[in-house]
Amino acid sequence: MTANQLTTPSGLAHKLREQLLLRQRVDGDRMMLADDVLAAALDGSRPLNPNERAALASSPLTMRRLRQLSIERARSAHAWQASGGMLRAAATGAALEKLVTDDNHWALHFVQHEDGALWQVILKLAADAPFAPALMREQPMLLVRDGAGAIILQGRLDADGECENAWPFDLSPMAHFQLCGASFAVEAVRA
């Protein structure tokens, strides 16, 4: 909730209701929903059904847990800033098909057109990356830079967790990375 929303009558009422729910204590209260159910509701992958919403509303303890999970998600979403990787393949005549970041959260795929002259580069986010749901929701601008700092790719993830563009250099991906420090980085551009 923004500062402007807090100063409106409805914003103040919402904040007061939230505080009352979180401070309320109920005898015999216990966790009514598992963390995985609450997390799925937070990331939008599975909304709560009517019975689960009723259980949440009747359990201040569960409501506090939902709030804590929400705070943790917000922190982890902003915790990721960049991932780096290196060209680890030996210098062979084979075309470079894929590079993966050291944390295994991102992959760069290289696809050569049939004519052999042009390449496409595809950035793919791993679905199991801890920050994946937040990045898919927030859609920040992403940059992929080579070891010399040149931009390889810039854009936002699509619904499949990918971003694609034409290869921007004259050399093939393998030759380019060998000349530019054999490394790359994926970065989020935060406003």
Side-chain angles (χ1 to χ4, degrees):
M1 185 168 284
T2 66
N4 288 341
Q5 290 171 319
L6 281 176
T7 59
T8 65
S10 63
L12 286 173
H14 175 77
K15 187 67 175 170
L16 287 172
R17 273 195 311 274
E18 178 186 19
Q19 291 300 315
L20 285 173
L21 278 172
L22 293 174
R23 288 188 182 147
Q24 184 180 11
R25 303 284 187 231
V26 173
D27 288 337
D29 192 11
R30 61 186 175 82
M31 286 296 298
M32 300 301 289
L33 300 171
D35 279 1
D36 60 330
V37 173
L38 296 172
L42 283 171
D43 70 21
S45 63
R46 188 180 81 74
L48 296 177
N49 65 40
N51 289 338
E52 290 167 334
R53 285 195 304 271
L56 179 63
S58 67
S59 172
L61 181 64
T62 307
M63 185 73 74
R64 285 191 297 276
R65 181 63 182 154
L66 177 66
R67 183 172 187 270
Q68 183 60 37
L69 289 173
S70 176
I71 291 168
E72 289 170 9
R73 283 178 47 80
R75 283 185 190 139
S76 69
H78 295 290
W80 180 81
Q81 292 296 315
S83 296
M86 294 192 69
L87 174 66
R88 288 174 174 48
T92 67
L96 180 62
E97 293 180 8
K98 180 179 172 182
L99 287 175
V100 179
T101 57
D102 297 338
D103 58 14
N104 290 314
H105 295 319
W106 300 94
L108 283 178
H109 297 271
F110 305 97
V111 180
Q112 191 171 20
H113 292 269
E114 289 181 20
D115 63 9
L118 300 174
W119 290 83
Q120 283 292 109
V121 59
I122 304 165
L123 175 66
K124 174 77 174 157
L125 172 63
D128 62 350
F131 49 84
L135 283 184
M136 293 298 293
R137 185 177 57 255
E138 294 174 8
Q139 294 291 307
M141 179 62 69
L142 300 172
L143 287 176
V144 180
R145 296 183 188 270
D146 64 19
I151 296 175
I152 296 170
L153 177 90
Q154 180 175 344
R156 298 180 195 284
L157 296 174
D158 63 17
D160 295 325
E162 296 180 351
C163 180
E164 179 176 346
N165 202 4
W167 178 249
F169 307 106
D170 292 333
L171 294 174
S172 70
M174 175 71 85
H176 178 81
F177 282 109
Q178 287 173 338
L179 288 175
C180 297
S183 64
F184 71 101
V186 181
E187 307 166 3
V189 178
R190 302 284 182 191

